[in-house]
Amino acid sequence: MNASLRVLALSLTVAGLAACAGMPEKSTQAERAPSIMDADEAYVAYVERVARRRGIEVVWVNVPRAKAAEQDSDD
């Protein structure tokens, strides 16, 4: 009885690990096209970096959006 429980536990562990190992990295993440509603991440990072150096806390109420022309040039 004890040996059969060990075999069962080992087989369940191996089956669980095998199920996780077979998944591709980005199976559930779909690629999406850039939108004009995306935040201007470079500008936000720049402002937050400068503010951190000066000891200022930044709270974004309206995050700056990237312009459509910038979105096209990034592609």
Side-chain angles (χ1 to χ4, degrees):
M1 178 81 175
N2 195 14
S4 63
L5 287 176
R6 287 183 184 175
V7 170
L8 177 64
L10 181 63
S11 62
L12 287 175
T13 303
V14 169
L17 291 175
C20 293
M23 296 291 296
E25 264 185 48
K26 293 187 175 185
S27 64
T28 59
Q29 298 177 356
E31 294 291 327
R32 66 176 187 86
S35 168
I36 61 169
M37 293 304 293
D38 291 338
D40 189 354
E41 294 173 5
Y43 179 71
V44 169
Y46 169 75
V47 169
E48 289 180 349
R49 185 174 51 248
V50 170
R52 195 176 323 121
R53 274 192 237 140
R54 296 179 183 175
I56 300 170
E57 181 182 356
V58 176
V59 177
W60 293 99
V61 176
N62 294 316
V63 180
R65 304 289 178 198
K67 295 179 180 70
E70 292 174 3
Q71 290 291 332
D72 293 338
S73 66
D74 290 341
D75 294 336

